[in-house]
Amino acid sequence: MSEQKFLPFALPDIGEEEINEVVDALRSGWVTTGPKTKQFEADFAAFLGDGVEAIAVNSATAGLHLALEAIGVREGDEVIVPSYTFTATAEVVRYLGAHPVCVDVDAATFNIRPDAIRAAITDKTKAIIPVHFAGLACEMDEIIAIAREHGLKIVEDAAHAMPTYYKGKLIGTLDSDVTVFSFYANKTMTTGEGGMVVSKHKDIIARCKVMRLHGISRDAFDRYVSKTPAWFYEVVAPGYKYNMPDTAAAMGIHQLKKIRGFYEKREAMAQRFDRELAGLPLILPARAKDEGSNHAWHLYPVRIKPEAGISRDDFIAKMAEKGIGCSVHFIPLHRQPVWRDGYRLTREQFPVADAAFEAEVTLPLYTRMTADDQTRVIAAVREILGA
């Protein structure tokens, strides 16, 4: 093991502004959903613009569940998802008694393939969940066209995509039905745990608001701050407990203010990796190819080429010996027992996703990394690969 301090795969970038805002929430007496959550929602909607409304939730998983329920996914329906994603994308489909239909991904971007979507559509298909892997947008024009042709709904899994542009528009403002962002600890901005549901459709927003908190017809915050008796409420649906507390939203208020700067640093770090890892036996991440599009660089995923003479697992082990943490994104759904066995999925059905998994390793890239930290990573990669 290297004598240098261990460099983890990811760390949140939290400043005194976030700490002070959380303390203010604690001192205010509002520690659950209250004024700071409302401010965070308003700020987030304003950041995206284009008429979206935003609802803060306690995780992106919760947000995806709310979104699918709100668009009408029910028992027996099918929802098309990429195999190359985290299990949350599929599990929320099963929450509603529907079935995730896994399809293969693009070899360069790891994003869901429009032609694979089209081939998977049946008379039971209700929706599509495109996942913007690592922070690079899917081919949304084609996906939206397919959805319109077949009368399908689109819920964008934007857990990696803040702030990602697609052809001049921020993810969250496209012509899909709902978009869900994640603020987990390792994301481009964080509230510790948390997420945001955004949509331009008022009926979807209204349903998500009701289902977010037990199916209650009135906003609990409005009832509690009313100056006149306002205790009465009605439960109109069997809802969930998915609200974001003010202590989390307090962090989000200031993380959102910093997101442009965070992005600029991530882009600069990705460019440096591109330059200094070029020529090695690696496949570097795809970049945005369309004008007005970008990559948010939540992740910097590389693939080890066969000529490197080292397996992905051995590469990660050697990086750890040098005091550097790496990760793998993702173990595909078709390799996970619950989906593999439950839906009789095989590796042969997903040749691109399976090959990507065998070779993929995610290098550290986060805004708390210093230039010296990145130099360590680059030097370690080059040494292990014999450069």
Side-chain angles (χ1 to χ4, degrees):
M1 173 68 72
S2 169
E3 294 181 0
Q4 290 180 286
K5 184 178 179 181
F6 186 80
L7 183 67
F9 162 70
L11 282 174
D13 195 343
I14 296 167
E16 290 301 314
E17 302 92 340
E18 290 90 336
I19 293 168
N20 292 337
E21 199 76 42
V22 172
V23 170
D24 186 66
L26 295 172
R27 286 177 172 157
S28 75
W30 276 101
V31 293
T32 185
T33 307
K36 294 194 186 300
T37 303
K38 284 186 173 291
Q39 180 185 341
F40 184 35
E41 290 172 336
D43 291 350
F44 200 86
F47 178 88
L48 293 179
D50 209 15
V52 306
E53 293 186 56
I55 300 173
V57 289
N58 58 14
S59 72
T61 304
L64 289 169
H65 186 196
L66 286 175
L68 291 176
E69 199 279 340
I71 63 171
V73 172
R74 298 295 183 264
E75 186 171 358
D77 289 340
E78 294 178 350
V79 178
I80 297 173
V81 304
S83 182
Y84 210 85
T85 187
F86 185 59
T87 190
T89 310
E91 71 187 35
V92 293
V93 178
R94 289 298 301 138
Y95 291 174
L96 295 162
H99 301 287
V101 176
C102 295
V103 301
D104 211 351
V105 295
D106 179 78
T109 66
F110 301 175
N111 281 335
I112 195 167
R113 290 205 328 258
D115 65 313
I117 292 173
R118 190 179 291 278
I121 294 171
T122 72
D123 58 2
K124 294 182 179 180
T125 306
K126 181 74 175 185
I128 306 161
I129 306 181
V131 178
H132 305 300
F133 177 77
L136 184 64
C138 297
E139 295 293 339
M140 290 305 299
D141 283 352
E142 293 182 55
I143 293 170
I144 290 168
I146 291 169
R148 286 176 176 166
E149 179 185 345
H150 292 274
L152 306 178
K153 302 292 187 180
I154 299 174
V155 175
E156 294 177 66
D157 183 335
H160 297 182
M162 181 64 182
T164 295
Y165 280 87
Y166 176 72
K167 297 183 179 179
K169 299 191 71 175
L170 274 168
I171 292 298
T173 67
L174 306 182
D175 292 331
S176 58
D177 296 277
V178 196
T179 304
V180 182
F181 294 90
S182 173
F183 309 133
Y184 182 63
N186 69 346
K187 295 301 192 292
T188 56
M189 60 174 283
T190 186
T191 58
E193 297 281 358
M196 193 75 75
V197 180
V198 304
S199 179
K200 299 178 185 178
H201 301 276
K202 293 188 180 300
D203 57 334
I204 291 175
I205 290 292
R207 180 64 176 182
C208 287
K209 283 183 177 178
V210 167
M211 297 302 286
R212 173 177 65 171
L213 194 61
H214 300 300
I216 294 173
S217 62
R218 293 188 59 192
D219 190 306
F221 175 69
D222 292 340
R223 289 191 289 116
Y224 291 148
V225 299
S226 174
K227 302 299 182 183
T228 59
W231 53 267
F232 184 78
Y233 63 90
E234 291 181 309
V235 177
V236 298
Y240 316 111
K241 186 67 169 67
Y242 284 166
N243 55 303
M244 175 183 282
D246 266 20
T247 46
M251 294 173 59
I253 289 167
H254 293 281
Q255 289 276 291
L256 182 61
K257 292 177 181 178
K258 298 175 180 180
I259 192 64
R260 297 289 189 194
F262 286 168
Y263 165 70
E264 289 172 3
K265 183 167 183 181
R266 285 176 177 270
E267 172 64 26
M269 293 173 70
Q271 288 185 15
R272 185 182 176 196
F273 272 144
D274 283 356
R275 290 192 307 271
E276 300 194 34
L277 299 180
L280 297 179
L282 295 172
I283 300 174
L284 301 181
R287 283 190 165 268
K289 64 182 181 180
D290 298 304
E291 185 176 353
S293 300
N294 77 317
H295 195 311
W297 298 114
H298 163 53
L299 302 173
Y300 191 87
V302 302
R303 280 172 282 178
I304 311 292
K305 291 182 177 180
E307 55 264 36
I310 186 172
S311 71
R312 185 270 316 280
D313 293 1
D314 286 345
F315 175 88
I316 292 174
K318 287 185 178 296
M319 289 289 281
E321 289 173 4
K322 294 179 178 296
I324 297 170
C326 295
S327 192
V328 173
H329 294 85
F330 291 101
I331 304 173
L333 300 183
H334 68 268
R335 287 204 178 201
Q336 298 292 1
V338 64
W339 311 119
R340 180 195 66 208
D341 300 342
Y343 290 93
R344 298 181 180 179
L345 305 179
T346 67
R347 297 181 184 183
E348 290 73 23
Q349 293 172 286
F350 309 94
V352 176
D354 206 70
F357 163 68
E358 289 284 354
E360 195 275 340
V361 56
T362 307
L363 300 179
L365 189 160
Y366 51 95
T367 54
R368 280 182 61 182
M369 282 179 67
T370 66
D372 287 344
D373 291 335
Q374 191 173 17
T375 297
R376 276 185 63 192
V377 175
I378 293 165
V381 172
R382 294 185 68 85
E383 183 178 347
I384 291 169
L385 296 180

